[in-house]
Amino acid sequence: MRLAVCAEMVFTDLPFPERVRRIHEAGFDVELWDSRSKDIGALKATGAVFSSMTGYISGSLVDPDTADEVVRTAESLIPTALELGVSRLVVHPAELIDGHAARPVYRSTGRMWSTGAKTLERLGRLGEKYGVTFCLENLNTILDHPGIPLARAKDTLALVEAAGHPNAKLMLDLYHAQLGEGNLIELVRTALPYIGEIQVADVPGRCEPGTGEINYSAVARALAEARYQGTVGMEAWASGDSEAALDAFRAAFTVYAEEKS
């Protein structure tokens, strides 16, 4: 298993390339969000391994009127992903602008469902063409992302299953899942064949493991028992010192290495 850290949320007082460098020097892979505002050359120069990045610019996966825009903008970002060596591009069930629903919808429909599955399959075919994987991230609608349809983990998992393409996977965010559904260990076990990457943060506060109610050591043990060999990324704010947050994240998943050895 590899551990990654989202550079958007730690060392926030530093320029972005320096954040990436600090994460890399600490032994982690790096996640990033919108790559368009980044100095790609400077990021490459850090020598970091980039785990994932946002994989579209606009449009809604489940909206027939804007689904083509998701695919079009996804393809426009692939050259950046290839330049950075990013293997996973993250998409959401519906468009976000500054973290909020671009067009809030509070009731999902069968048409949204079928559109989402077809669009995700299209993204899978696009990913196959370029050697990348598109990962659909579950979100919580209780606190952070109200108005996003088909956002719960059980919905995003069902969409990935329906798409049925090996280059369309699930970005299983356990912070969002805890807020929306709970039962994280069983969720991980059920979703395992479809997971492209796992993201973690604690609840409440969305800070590093150990600051809230989630028993991440138990989650790590369940991953070990399930023989998960992918990436776990900390998409979390540092509750205080960023280096201490990275240490806490590493410690929470040490049990994984112990179980695998």
Side-chain angles (χ1 to χ4, degrees), residues 36 38 48 55-56 60 73 116 135 139 142-143 155 157 166 170 181 193 199 213-214 239 252 261:
R36 294 173 297 163
K38 308 296 194 298
Y56 73 116
S60 173
T73 61
C135 293
L139 303 170
I142 295 173
L143 179 63
D155 296 321
L157 173 57
L170 180 65
E181 295 149 275
Q199 290 181 326
E213 67 192 20
I214 300 177
S239 62
S261 62

Side-chain angles (χ1 to χ4, degrees), residues 44-234:
K44 287 180 62 179
T46 65
V49 174
F50 292 92
S51 170
S52 64
M53 60 179 254
T54 301
Y56 73 116
I57 298 169
S58 58
S60 173
L61 196 83
V62 301
D63 182 354
D65 294 330
T66 63
D68 287 347
E69 183 73 0
V70 175
V71 178
R72 185 189 69 78
T73 61
E75 187 162 19
S76 75
L77 292 173
I78 285 177
T80 298
L82 296 179
E83 185 174 358
L84 288 175
V86 175
S87 59
R88 288 175 290 277
L89 288 88
V90 182
V91 295
H92 304 109
E95 183 177 356
L96 300 177
I97 297 179
D98 296 330
H100 303 289
R103 293 168 291 278
V105 176
Y106 296 96
R107 179 175 296 178
S108 58
T109 66
R111 192 178 187 206
M112 289 179 184
W113 163 261
S114 62
T115 300
K118 290 174 183 175
T119 308
L120 195 56
E121 183 184 9
R122 291 172 64 192
L123 289 173
R125 293 199 302 269
L126 180 65
E128 182 180 21
K129 178 180 177 181
Y130 291 100
V132 299
T133 299
F134 284 90
C135 293
L136 179 62
E137 182 182 3
N138 61 295
L139 303 170
N140 81 81
T141 59
I142 295 173
L143 179 63
D144 296 293
H145 305 292
I148 298 294
L150 299 172
R152 291 177 298 179
K154 71 174 187 177
D155 296 321
T156 53
L157 173 57
L159 284 169
V160 170
E161 288 183 276
H165 197 287
N167 292 75
K169 295 284 190 179
L170 180 65
M171 175 63 82
L172 182 58
D173 190 307
L174 296 183
Y175 161 78
H176 290 306
Q178 175 69 2
L179 281 171
E181 295 149 275
N183 198 24
L184 299 185
I185 289 176
E186 188 58 35
L187 173 61
V188 165
R189 289 170 177 162
T190 301
L192 191 68
Y194 304 96
I195 293 174
E197 187 171 329
I198 295 171
Q199 290 181 326
V200 301
D202 223 326
V203 176
R206 202 176 186 179
C207 294
E208 72 272 10
T211 56
E213 67 192 20
I214 300 177
N215 185 346
Y216 271 119
S217 292
V219 171
R221 187 172 293 107
L223 289 172
E225 291 170 354
R227 300 196 127 355
Y228 177 69
Q229 297 180 8
T231 296
V232 175
M234 187 181 81

